[in-house]
Amino acid sequence: MPLDVVIMAAGKGTRMKSRLPKVLHRLGGKPLLEHVIDAAAQLNARSAVVITGHESQVVQNAINLIAIEALNTPDKAIFNAYKSMNSVMQEPQLGTGHAVQQAIPVLPDDGMVLVLSGDVPLTQVDTLQDLINRSGGDKLALLTIDFDNPAGYGRVVRSNHFVQAIVEQKDANDAQKAIKEVYSGIMAVPAKLLKGWLARLDNKNAQGEYYLTDIVKFAVGDGLTVVAHKIDDAAQVAGVNSPVQLAELERVYQLRQAKTLMEQGVRLADPARFDLRGELMCGQDVEIDINCIFSGQVSLGSGVKVGAHCVISNAVIADGAVIHPFTHIEGEKLGVSVGTGALIGPFARLRPGAALGKEVHIGNFVEVKNATLADGAKANHLAYLGDSTVGERVNFGAGSITANYDGANKHRTVIESDVHVGSNCVLVAPVTIGAGGTVGGGSTITKSTPAGALSVARGKQVSIANWQRPKKIAK
Ligand code: UD1
Ligand code: CA
């Protein structure tokens, strides 16, 4: 049976106290809503429809972005959910039943409908698949869980073990309030049945809302069995209502990712001090010290060591490279690549387009942007290499920079192989330093230099003998 997913995301999220709609707050670097849409995609859903309401235009724009990005990512592009992503507006918001009613026009009759909430990000795909299986194509299946403190949730009322109804907190009597089994907000139900029941909803209840949960009593009244799929992992049904809950779920999510990596053999100094906001691929014997943040797409080759407090995004780090503490690698769109056995940092900054060869050394307070450094090149202290092509074994001295920007345009600097640039030099681009050449410390180089030459461009040293410093004049 084809699967169509309905994602409720019209609520305001008042307790976030934020201008950003709740479902767009980020967990693990991506919007809550995207986690839910990704789950729909992994379930191989035929379509996904998001119910928007509060700030619907902002949410709509985010949905479009999520779809476009997914369709540009080869492994995500295969899923129909992204291709057939819809959104419908719910205005005003009269309850969860009213929310799902808005989706009726876009829901085909022959499908299984899975109802999810945009603010419940960590439900596992296998849990949802189990729920769909329990529905069996002809039953209403509810995802439930026992809570010691069920306050605020809809209670699952049973008789002889059979589910009879869901009663909302505000409508519950004392006996019902004592029930620990609660409805998670997630259900699977055949579209045909759902549509029939939605048409019968009313709002005669304590909150004056159209409750989606009322369809349970309709199902029972129609003589159908309602199945409850009870799980015990609270994080999978936990919603985000406040910054505190968002942070709690973030830690749950990060710990999950950390465990997955450790099971693959990655050695994390402390899984509680590890953050991955994207995807991380690791070879064998990778070691990551505390408080590192990885985002975008990062790949670490075998034997790579990442020191404490590094921030790394969109980078490919080859086998055996060592990233010393406090290094910032920001690949963004162009990416950063670090060659085999390279030594980076501490306190290094690699910006978009930095492409470093084997055994390259980048030391403290060195910034590299849109520059290629061939095998064995070194810039060990306090330097800037921007828009440059640097040859093999070049040694770029402390305090030296490429002046790549003339105030209007950027120009390239070429430093051919085996060049030695002394300390505190300025290479004013466009300029080429010929192979094997040497640039004397303190030089400002504005013209290209021949191969093998020593080039010096600075004021000549003058020493005046017996120089008397001025003396203080007595008043
Ligand atoms: C709902 C369930 C309750 C369950 C709980 C689990 C109902 C009537 N109750 O209660 O049984 O235990 O979830 O968390 O369904 N939304 C809309 N439009 C609306 C109202 C809500 O899109 O008009 C969205 C919200 O943005 C949210 C979701 O639906 O994503 C749930 O709404 P919420 O108001 O939080 O429902 P609860 O009262 O918590
Ligand atoms: Ca809620």
Side-chain angles (χ1 to χ4, degrees):
M1 208 168 176
L3 176 69
D4 299 298
V5 176
V6 175
I7 302 170
M8 295 188 291
K12 186 156 183 229
T14 313
R15 279 180 285 160
M16 288 302 293
K17 300 187 177 165
S18 168
R19 284 165 66 179
L20 189 68
K22 178 166 77 173
V23 293
L24 300 186
H25 281 268
R26 283 168 190 271
L27 182 127
K30 70 182 182 186
L32 295 171
L33 182 58
E34 190 172 346
H35 287 267
V36 181
I37 293 171
D38 284 351
Q42 286 172 56
L43 285 163
N44 238 320
R46 165 173 64 182
S47 71
V49 53
V50 182
I51 317 288
T52 65
H54 176 70
E55 292 276 14
S56 62
Q57 197 50 55
V58 181
V59 177
Q60 178 59 61
N61 292 345
I63 293 168
N64 294 344
L65 263 180
I66 292 167
I68 290 167
E69 258 179 42
L71 294 171
N72 284 327
T73 311
D75 56 330
K76 290 188 169 183
I78 57 171
F79 293 117
N80 284 318
Y82 299 114
K83 286 178 218 144
S84 334
M85 213 142 76
N86 260 308
S87 78
V88 295
M89 255 252 266
Q90 185 201 14
E91 190 59 61
Q93 289 111 45
L94 303 178
T96 51
H98 180 251
V100 179
Q101 280 172 347
Q102 312 310 306
I104 289 177
V106 300
L107 283 178
D109 284 334
D110 64 341
M112 169 62 60
V113 177
L114 177 67
V115 177
L116 302 173
S117 286
D119 60 353
V120 179
L122 297 188
T123 323
Q124 280 170 210
V125 172
D126 55 353
T127 301
L128 296 172
Q129 190 59 60
D130 287 346
L131 180 73
I132 293 163
N133 295 347
R134 294 291 290 275
S135 149
D138 58 0
K139 289 182 283 297
L140 167 60
L142 309 170
L143 188 68
T144 70
I145 187 164
D146 283 338
F147 277 156
D148 286 340
N149 177 10
Y153 290 89
R155 309 298 206 284
V156 179
V157 180
R158 292 178 184 250
S159 141
N160 287 329
H161 302 299
F162 291 106
V163 175
Q164 298 298 312
I166 296 173
V167 178
E168 295 303 309
Q169 167 87 20
K170 288 188 177 139
D171 301 282
N173 59 35
D174 286 346
Q176 290 164 338
K177 278 184 189 148
I179 297 171
K180 300 246 188 276
E181 186 181 8
V182 304
Y183 169 55
S184 66
I186 296 172
M187 64 167 67
V189 53
K192 259 208 179 108
L193 293 174
L194 175 68
K195 289 184 179 184
W197 294 328
L198 285 175
R200 290 158 62 185
L201 291 179
D202 64 43
N203 63 353
K204 291 179 197 129
N205 52 52
Q207 300 185 82
E209 285 184 8
Y210 294 87
Y211 291 162
L212 178 60
T213 43
D214 278 352
I215 72 169
V216 174
K217 65 183 187 212
F218 298 151
V220 173
D222 289 353
L224 288 177
T225 309
V226 176
V227 291
H229 176 46
K230 202 199 272 189
I231 59 169
D232 53 19
D233 178 5
Q236 290 200 46
V237 298
V240 171
N241 296 297
S242 65
V244 170
Q245 288 173 337
L246 181 61
E248 283 168 359
L249 278 198
E250 178 77 27
R251 286 337 302 164
V252 171
Y253 179 74
Q254 292 301 344
L255 209 55
R256 264 196 204 171
Q257 298 194 116
K259 282 191 176 141
T260 305
L261 286 164
M262 290 188 294
E263 278 157 11
Q264 291 163 11
V266 177
R267 296 197 288 279
L268 298 179
D270 182 358
R273 285 177 291 174
F274 167 80
D275 286 86
L276 170 55
R277 301 170 188 164
E279 275 160 54
L280 180 61
M281 306 265 295
C282 291
Q284 206 171 18
D285 286 311
V286 166
E287 286 177 28
I288 300 172
D289 210 332
I290 60 165
N291 288 343
C292 293
I293 301 174
F294 298 88
S295 62
Q297 306 278 328
V298 176
S299 134
L300 305 178
S302 291
V304 165
K305 289 188 172 65
V306 181
H309 309 284
C310 290
V311 176
I312 301 180
S313 76
N314 293 322
V316 177
I317 318 279
D319 294 355
V322 178
I323 314 296
H324 288 292
F326 298 100
T327 290
H328 189 195
I329 300 180
E330 35 171 348
E332 293 178 3
K333 284 207 169 80
L334 286 175
V336 164
S337 61
V338 173
T340 307
L343 303 178
I344 312 297
F347 299 101
R349 181 174 184 210
L350 305 181
R351 293 174 53 203
L356 316 183
K358 285 181 207 155
E359 319 269 323
V360 162
H361 293 186
I362 299 295
N364 39 237
F365 306 106
V366 174
E367 174 182 350
V368 182
K369 186 218 73 173
N370 194 25
T372 313
L373 275 72
D375 297 353
K378 293 183 173 67
N380 273 323
H381 332 265
L382 304 159
Y384 174 60
L385 282 160
D387 301 306
S388 306
T389 305
V390 179
E392 294 176 4
R393 298 171 299 276
V394 164
N395 195 314
F396 197 73
S400 291
I401 66 160
T402 55
N404 54 331
Y405 186 53
D406 61 14
N409 298 297
K410 295 206 170 140
H411 303 281
R412 263 197 108 71
T413 301
V414 177
I415 306 173
E416 293 180 351
S417 51
D418 299 298
V419 162
H420 186 108
V421 177
S423 295
N424 210 31
C425 294
V426 181
L427 309 184
V428 182
V431 71
T432 297
I433 311 297
T438 302
V439 178
S443 294
T444 295
I445 300 292
T446 55
K447 292 192 289 272
S448 293
T449 67
L454 166 65
S455 305
V456 183
R458 62 181 185 230
K460 273 222 162 99
Q461 182 171 332
V462 177
S463 294
I464 298 172
N466 301 319
W467 174 253
Q468 298 293 314
R469 281 192 293 274
K471 290 200 170 65
K472 212 164 194 144
I473 301 161
K475 286 206 181 122

